[in-house]
Structure formats: C-alpha cells, structure tokens
Amino acid sequence: MSSFVVDKDGNKRYAVTVNVNGSDYTKVVKANTLLVNFLREELDLIGTKRGCELGDCGCCTVMLDGKAVNACIVLALDCDGREVTTVEGIQDGEDLDIVQEKFIEHAAFQCGFCTPGMIVSSRALLNENTNPSEYEVREAIAGNLCRCTGYVNIVAAVLDAAENL
Amino acid sequence: MYLPDFEYYAPDSIAEACQLLSQLGEKAKVLAGGTDLMIKMKNEVLAPEVVVSVKNLDQLKKIEYVAGKGVSVGALCTHNDLVKCDVLKEKYSSVSNAARQMANNQVRNRGTIGGNISNAVPSADLPPIFIALNATVKLVGTKGERTVAMEDLFTGPGKTVLAQDELIAEVIIPDQKMTGSNYIKFGLRKSGALAVVGVAVAVQVENNVIKDARVALGAVAATPVRAKKAEDFLKGKTVSDEVLAEAGVIASGECKPISDIRASAEYRTDLVRIFTKRALRKAIDEGHV
C-alpha cells in the first residue's frame, strides 16, 4: 500500500520514486499527478510535450520500462519503482542518438512539436527490432501524429538510423 | 488537462483488491492500463472518489498453456503482450493479430485485455475472436471465483455481468477442435481507429467438409453477438465459394447495427456479409491466422 501524508488542504499526497533517464527521483505528489506533468513540472523535463492529452496524438510519448507509452494517461504513482526514458534520456551526454542525427539529416520535422514523441517511439522500436521493415516503422509511429504531414521523411530517417545502428 | 482529485490504492493481492472494491462500492474504479479510465476521467464522464490500481497483481500478467485446460491469458496482459506471445503466435495467431489491430502502439503497450473486455465497448477488437474460440472468463470476487462464457459476459454497451467487487482474472481459450480462426477488422484508418465492423470466425474442417463453425460479430449490435443462423447453415456443408458467400448473406441478416458518425447501418450490414465470407475463407485455407 502506498504511503501518504495529508497536506494543508486536506489532500493526500503519496511518495513515489521513479527512475528517470537513469536517476532515481523521489517526490511526494497528489494521486491525480500524470506522468507527463510529473516530468515537466516536478523534474523540469519539458522535452516531453503535452498535445491532445487524451492518449491520441503521441506528443507525450516516453518509454516506461522500455515500452513506448502516452505519459498523458499514465499516473505518476503507477510508475513507482519503474524506469522512464524521455527524449532527454535518449541522447548520450552531449552526443545525439543516431535517430536524432538522422532526423536532422533527413529534415524529418517541420514545426517540431511531434518530434520528441516520434524520436522516443522510433528509438523504442529500434531497441527491440534492429532491422524493421517500412511497415513496422509506420506501425511503430502510427500513434504519433504529425500535423505538418512530414511522415515520408520521418520514415526515411528511422530506416536510415536502423541501417547505421 | 488535469485530472480531478481522488484517493489512490494499489493493493498487493487479488483478495485485497476485491475487498476494497466491495467496501468502496460505486465510489471506486479499477485502474489497469488507464487507456479508457484516464480519458473518461479527463472528459468528466467518470469521477471516482477512489482509484484502485491493480498494477501490483503480477499473477494476472502471465500467458501460459495448461494441458487439459487451454491457453490462459492473464487479465493484466497488455495487447502487445498478446502480439508478442510465442504461445499465442504458435496456437492462435488470430488472437495476436486481433490484438495488433487495436488502437496504436502506445495504447497497446498499456491497455490490458481485462480492460478491453470489461469496458464492454461494442466495437472492442478482442471479444469477437475470443467468442469465436469459445473462450471463458474467470472472475474473482469477495465470494470466490466463477467462470462465465465470454459471449455471456456482455449485457449492453459498457455493461457486463461483473459485480462491483469482481475483477476479471483470466481469459481461457480452451483446446480446440476448430482447425482455423480469423478476425477481420474494418476501421476508417489502419491505426488508431475503432472497428466499424469486426468479424471473427472459427471453423472445424475435415476432408473439405465444415463440421463446426462459430461466427462472432463486433460493432454491429449492443454487444458482440454470434451469427448462429450462419453457423447452423455452415455445419455439414462442403466448402465452396457459394457456401461461404451464402453464410455471409445469412450473417448480415442477423446483425442489428446502428448508424453513427463512422458508418451507416446499411454499410455495416453489407460489410458483415463481405467479411464473414473472407474470414471463413482465411480460416479454412490458412488455419488460426
């Protein structure tokens, strides 16, 4: 059972420890704290975007224990003891990940708002499947909506990244 | 978009979870993957005072084959667990393929089969193929366990026979005489779309004669429904294009779809005719695909 304290407004606040991008963070949050807000507001990791906020657009995609999920419909408390990787955790120190490099090379973004989610979904795919078909790439990013409609270059970037892993 | 306030419990055992649900009654909602509940709470369709997260009930996250019983799929398996499961891919890839057509990758990584079933949305992708394979559902509550046929679980849109204190524990796909099964979904997009029509079939074919058949239809009635007249018609028939086409016509006469933003009732009825024929052909020619 989760441990909690009651704050001055009478709300229960619960302790939660989440490993984000390799480091453990313990915070005391209200039960209704969503993972996307935990990341943005508690940890200042604003690479994860808020888009539709209803689990449709994929802007808030992060990896939870290695799997792409929509952080806008996951409770922070449900992530207690688990590993979250955001777009900030995909690059290696100052070096961009190959997926990020290929997105730049292929001009795989226009306004850029869907890009963090696209990159996380693509990286999650390549972590499981180092030789995806075009169909598998399109399936992996089907939950990430790009309203500039730049999908052709995004798919090309992911396929090129796969060849250069 | 923030969620309203609620209290949160994460019980460590099924018994504790059922006890909590029994005590809290209508005030509580079960949270599994959250791909439905979180959205209904954001849209103010639901406002539970207490959310009971079942994330710690690890015993409900297994898929295994039990000799003499069948394939047991734990209720907290996600759709992608079904897609990637070797046991299912080997025995009933029709089930894996149905799971793969649900929503999108992020939702398949969170949404559980227990949630997909207990939400009782008429267009849900998994119930038709489970019904075609004669699957049962094990429910656990404070008074013990009971097993219900999947086709008897649904009582209306969003309604099931589950009591307030009951959880879906597992779905059991029994050992089959059926030689093939298939699910065809028609959505308005390849991904992230609800089924306009979903047709699942299972057939037992020997020496080109149909010994047994089950046809289950999704999104064309208040609950997933069987097309029993089409099933009866198929039994004993020699496989031919004409027989499968006639089965499609009969099935289309058995559904009661509504017209909505996605399709008219007439269109849905005609899709049932076509997809019943096609799903039967796939199941007959290719097995459990």
Side-chain angles (χ1 to χ4, degrees):
Chain A
M1 195 63 65
S2 308
S3 55
F4 62 87
V5 294
V6 178
D7 67 17
K8 59 178 171 32
D9 300 322
N11 290 311
K12 285 184 180 174
R13 288 179 179 268
Y14 305 77
V16 60
T17 301
V18 188
N19 185 291
V20 181
N21 300 333
S23 302
D24 278 344
Y25 295 91
T26 300
K27 299 280 175 183
V28 178
V29 300
K30 281 172 41 174
N32 62 1
T33 305
L34 292 157
L35 178 59
V36 67
N37 297 333
F38 180 85
L39 295 168
R40 291 178 60 89
E41 294 167 12
E42 299 284 336
L43 305 184
D44 292 331
L45 292 171
I46 57 171
T48 304
K49 301 302 179 200
R50 284 192 285 242
C52 72
E53 301 194 59
L54 291 169
D56 282 322
C57 78
C59 282
C60 64
T61 304
V62 299
M63 288 185 227
L64 179 59
D65 291 340
K67 291 177 181 164
V69 302
N70 291 316
C72 71
I73 52 170
V74 176
L75 292 184
L77 291 180
D78 269 359
C79 302
D80 192 36
R82 301 179 69 176
E83 288 179 12
V84 171
T85 306
T86 69
V87 68
E88 291 92 343
I90 285 188
Q91 67 188 71
D92 182 11
E94 291 296 300
D95 297 330
L96 291 180
D97 183 65
I98 185 73
V99 176
Q100 294 169 311
E101 281 180 14
K102 292 298 176 187
F103 265 62
I104 295 169
E105 204 175 306
H106 287 264
F109 42 83
Q110 293 178 48
C111 86
F113 202 79
C114 72
T115 308
M118 285 285 184
I119 286 174
V120 173
S121 277
S122 304
R123 189 68 238 185
L125 167 72
L126 298 181
N127 286 349
E128 282 188 3
N129 179 354
T130 54
N131 186 27
S133 64
E134 180 178 338
Y135 183 89
E136 287 168 326
V137 171
R138 287 184 178 275
E139 186 179 46
I141 62 167
N144 295 87
L145 305 184
C146 166
R147 292 302 80 181
C148 309
T149 66
Y151 295 109
V152 169
N153 288 358
I154 292 169
V155 172
V158 180
L159 287 169
D160 193 2
E163 280 177 25
N164 291 282
L165 283 174
Chain B
M1 199 181 295
Y2 295 82
L3 288 170
D5 281 317
F6 52 85
E7 279 189 59
Y8 175 90
Y9 292 97
D12 290 317
S13 71
I14 297 174
E16 196 187 330
C18 295
Q19 198 61 47
L20 267 170
L21 293 173
S22 171
Q23 279 166 16
L24 296 164
E26 296 289 323
K27 285 191 289 186
K29 280 283 167 195
V30 175
L31 170 62
T35 54
D36 279 295
L37 181 65
M38 292 291 107
I39 290 150
K40 284 183 182 146
M41 288 171 68
K42 286 188 171 190
N43 286 335
E44 299 177 7
V45 176
L46 290 173
E49 289 173 40
V50 181
V51 165
V52 178
S53 171
V54 288
K55 65 171 182 169
N56 293 331
L57 307 184
D58 290 341
Q59 63 271 49
L60 303 184
K61 295 175 184 170
K62 285 183 297 198
I63 305 176
E64 56 187 354
Y65 177 69
V66 183
K69 179 180 172 188
V71 178
S72 157
V73 186
L76 292 183
C77 292
T78 66
H79 286 70
N80 268 347
D81 288 339
L82 269 61
V83 173
K84 289 168 188 167
C85 169
D86 290 334
V87 175
L88 281 177
K89 274 198 280 194
E90 185 193 324
K91 294 182 86 73
Y92 310 112
S93 55
S94 51
V95 174
S96 303
N97 288 335
R100 189 173 178 174
Q101 295 179 57
M102 202 280 289
N104 59 48
N105 191 47
Q106 288 92 323
V107 174
R108 287 193 294 274
N109 275 333
R110 284 294 291 171
T112 65
I113 66 155
N116 187 260
I117 295 164
S118 62
N119 273 299
V121 177
S123 61
D125 290 306
L126 293 176
I129 189 68
F130 281 138
I131 291 170
L133 291 169
N134 203 17
T136 57
V137 185
K138 190 171 100 180
L139 309 178
V140 184
T142 50
K143 297 184 190 79
E145 292 176 15
R146 60 180 176 135
T147 300
V148 179
M150 179 75 74
E151 65 174 296
D152 297 331
L153 192 80
F154 306 102
T155 54
K159 294 199 173 75
T160 67
V161 300
L162 256 82
Q164 178 64 37
D165 68 330
E166 280 182 317
L167 290 174
I168 295 179
E170 60 180 314
V171 173
I172 300 134
I173 307 169
D175 288 333
Q176 300 284 321
K177 285 189 179 159
M178 296 299 192
T179 50
S181 59
N182 189 242
Y183 173 70
I184 299 182
K185 168 182 184 165
F186 181 80
L188 298 182
R189 298 179 297 275
K190 276 190 178 175
S191 173
L194 295 177
V196 168
V197 163
V199 177
V201 302
V203 287
Q204 181 191 1
V205 178
E206 283 168 22
N207 302 320
N208 214 33
V209 174
I210 301 167
K211 298 279 183 190
D212 197 3
R214 286 169 72 93
V215 178
L217 310 174
V220 290
T223 65
V225 286
R226 274 174 71 189
K228 290 189 182 174
K229 287 179 191 158
E231 294 174 3
D232 288 340
F233 167 78
L234 286 164
K235 285 173 199 167
K237 295 283 192 306
T238 299
V239 173
S240 73
D241 287 342
E242 291 72 27
V243 162
L244 304 189
E246 182 61 21
V249 171
I250 297 169
S252 70
E254 293 184 79
C255 63
K256 295 184 181 64
I258 56 166
S259 295
D260 65 13
I261 193 168
R262 282 181 286 279
S264 67
E266 293 78 8
Y267 186 49
R268 285 191 159 99
T269 303
D270 205 41
L271 289 175
V272 168
R273 176 181 69 79
I274 295 163
F275 290 133
T276 301
K277 177 179 69 176
R278 288 185 191 167
L280 286 166
R281 177 50 78 187
K282 280 255 252 214
I284 290 165
D285 289 352
E286 298 174 44
H288 293 282
V289 288

